[in-house]
Amino acid sequence: MGNILELVNISKSFDGELILDELNLDVKENTFMTLLGPSGCGKTTTLRIIGGFTTPDEGRVLFEGRDITNLPPNKRQLNTVFQKYALFPHMSVGENIAYGLKISGKSKTYIDDKIKYALKLVNMDGYANRDVSQLSGGQQQRIAIARAIVNEPKVLLLDEPLGALDLKLRQDMQYELIRLKNELGITFIYVTHDQEEALTMSDTVVVMNQGYIQQMGTPESIYNEPENAFVATFIGDSNILSGLMLQDKLVRICGVNFICVDTGFGVNKPVDVVIRPEDVILDEPGMGQLDGVVTHLIFKGVHYEMEVMAGDFEWLVQSTEMHAVGEAVSLRVVPDNIQIMNKPESEDEEAVVIDV
């Protein structure tokens, strides 16, 4: 599977502030890629550069090997769905969907067939003559997607399109988008700050911060093997501890030696250690690797969330077994669930980008 899109050394500043700094990104054909990161990290600017709405200060945008950096949006084989759906209020549902086709001079028969096809794809058969103002937020979002896909783009860009929907509808639409991507066989590039959304929907997740790609990979690799502390904290909850790599497969945390699976960090090397809260096993005192006391307890429905003071560190623990505040416990972590990371040399150190 080849690259359908390539960003090469893209830099962009606004009002003297650097938003993207020599960004390089390859997008494979027929994938669902999500650009994930906090507000201001550069993800929407990246999407707008791909869509042709913003021109980079430096660098090139290649589409199927062809330079499209200076092509306007309507000349690119892609369409964009924004968070604000930008439907035309004075037009019917069908007229909204047909807008781009009419501009390109398609016949009425062709347009009518395409409207029916697009409405069926988004599960809104029979809505062509409805007034868009009568639609719910979720229905309007579906029409915005139908309007985009009716032009048969090779790439569909989605800029936080589910952000205005309530939780249940947002979850339903996540499954709808996955279904659409599989049925249409086109490439999706999706922007969000919602970690769960990114992990649920994507083939590839690109974690961004401060104009850099911090890490790129499958949802599983991003979650289970974060490359740095930013990724570890941004994707789910984490215990991040200072450790000392004594040798390959042996790290000291909180004064206790833990067997791990990582190698190549050197001997007596200071490192950061990531342990997910669901990977901490609580046992009776003396039965684990580190004894402690439960200091906080919250019931979260599917599990209990506890804080345990052990080794002068407040551990976050998630478990289906409840341990009361004040209870003495012992912590245990299996080697596979201990993730070792190099300590950054400076606060602004750029993480190594992982190829997928």
Side-chain angles (χ1 to χ4, degrees):
M1 192 184 298
N3 294 330
I4 191 168
L5 194 69
E6 296 169 60
L7 302 185
V8 184
N9 296 327
I10 296 288
S11 294
K12 183 66 181 178
S13 297
F14 290 107
D15 299 325
E17 182 181 353
L18 189 63
I19 304 299
L20 297 175
D21 190 4
E22 296 188 1
L23 184 99
N24 289 279
L25 180 65
D26 293 343
V27 182
K28 288 184 169 54
E29 192 175 1
N30 197 22
T31 58
F32 196 125
M33 175 180 281
T34 297
L35 307 182
L36 174 67
S39 297
C41 73
K43 58 188 187 297
T44 293
T45 299
T46 302
L47 199 77
R48 289 182 64 82
I49 286 172
I50 294 171
F53 302 102
T54 299
T55 304
D57 299 333
E58 297 177 19
R60 296 183 301 150
V61 181
L62 303 179
F63 187 88
E64 296 182 326
R66 186 167 64 97
D67 192 331
I68 62 166
T69 311
N70 296 309
L71 271 186
N74 63 325
K75 300 293 185 184
R76 303 186 181 204
Q77 288 182 291
L78 43 83
N79 276 99
T80 307
V81 179
F82 298 102
Q83 182 174 352
K84 294 186 173 71
Y85 314 131
L87 298 176
F88 301 114
H90 60 286
M91 293 184 184
S92 68
V93 166
E95 289 169 337
N96 266 279
I97 293 172
Y99 182 76
L101 298 175
K102 284 182 177 178
I103 287 177
S104 58
K106 301 294 184 184
S107 70
K108 184 178 186 306
T109 303
Y110 178 89
I111 290 172
D112 288 345
D113 287 345
K114 281 295 182 181
I115 291 172
K116 289 178 184 175
Y117 165 74
L119 285 173
K120 188 173 183 179
L121 267 178
V122 297
N123 291 326
M124 289 187 66
D125 285 335
Y127 276 75
N129 295 318
R130 294 281 187 95
D131 189 330
V132 293
S133 63
Q134 297 173 339
L135 304 181
S136 68
Q139 289 171 329
Q140 289 188 22
Q141 195 256 11
R142 286 168 186 259
I143 297 306
I145 292 171
R147 185 175 64 182
I149 61 179
V150 80
N151 296 306
E152 299 180 356
K154 290 190 175 180
V155 177
L156 186 62
L157 309 177
L158 302 110
D159 189 5
E160 305 212 36
L162 310 185
L165 306 181
D166 63 55
L167 178 61
K168 179 67 170 68
L169 192 52
R170 196 159 70 237
Q171 290 172 337
D172 290 343
M173 284 308 302
Q174 288 173 12
Y175 291 113
E176 285 294 307
L177 287 173
I178 294 168
R179 178 184 64 80
L180 277 174
K181 184 259 174 189
N182 291 333
E183 283 191 23
L184 293 168
I186 62 178
T187 302
F188 277 40
I189 304 177
Y190 191 94
V191 161
T192 185
H193 62 272
D194 187 314
Q195 302 94 318
E196 183 180 343
E197 206 164 81
L199 295 175
T200 300
M201 301 169 67
S202 315
D203 303 318
T204 303
V205 179
V206 180
V207 184
M208 298 181 66
N209 191 38
Q210 296 180 336
Y212 293 107
I213 293 175
Q214 298 289 318
Q215 188 171 347
M216 177 174 168
T218 64
E220 292 82 1
S221 67
I222 294 286
Y223 186 85
N224 292 321
E225 299 175 17
E227 283 294 303
N228 60 27
F230 172 80
V231 176
T233 52
F234 193 75
I235 306 291
D237 297 317
S238 292
N239 295 292
I240 301 181
L241 306 97
S242 288
L244 186 68
M245 201 71 183
L246 300 176
Q247 61 188 51
D248 283 353
K249 301 184 180 181
L250 188 65
V251 62
R252 180 171 293 164
I253 311 168
C254 300
V256 175
N257 294 352
F258 286 74
I259 297 172
C260 61
V261 296
D262 292 272
T263 61
F265 285 86
V267 176
N268 294 327
K269 174 80 181 295
V271 291
D272 283 332
V273 182
V274 176
I275 299 173
R276 296 289 186 183
E278 66 271 22
D279 292 331
V280 180
I281 302 164
L282 295 184
D283 213 328
E284 296 178 11
M287 298 294 288
Q289 294 144 305
L290 196 62
D291 287 343
V293 176
V294 178
T295 56
H296 292 90
L297 170 67
I298 300 173
F299 178 56
K300 287 290 187 87
V302 294
H303 62 254
Y304 294 94
E305 189 166 277
M306 293 159 280
E307 291 181 6
V308 178
M309 179 59 74
D312 292 327
F313 183 82
E314 193 102 76
W315 295 71
L316 183 65
V317 181
Q318 294 170 347
S319 173
T320 55
E321 295 184 7
M322 190 267 283
H323 295 268
V325 172
E327 184 178 338
V329 293
S330 191
L331 280 66
R332 183 160 46 88
V333 186
V334 300
D336 282 346
N337 292 331
I338 298 173
Q339 175 70 21
I340 308 297
M341 305 183 300
N342 284 310
K343 280 188 174 293
E345 294 178 8
S346 70
E347 289 184 8
D348 297 326
E349 182 185 68
E350 180 184 349
V352 173
V353 177
I354 302 296
D355 292 322
V356 290

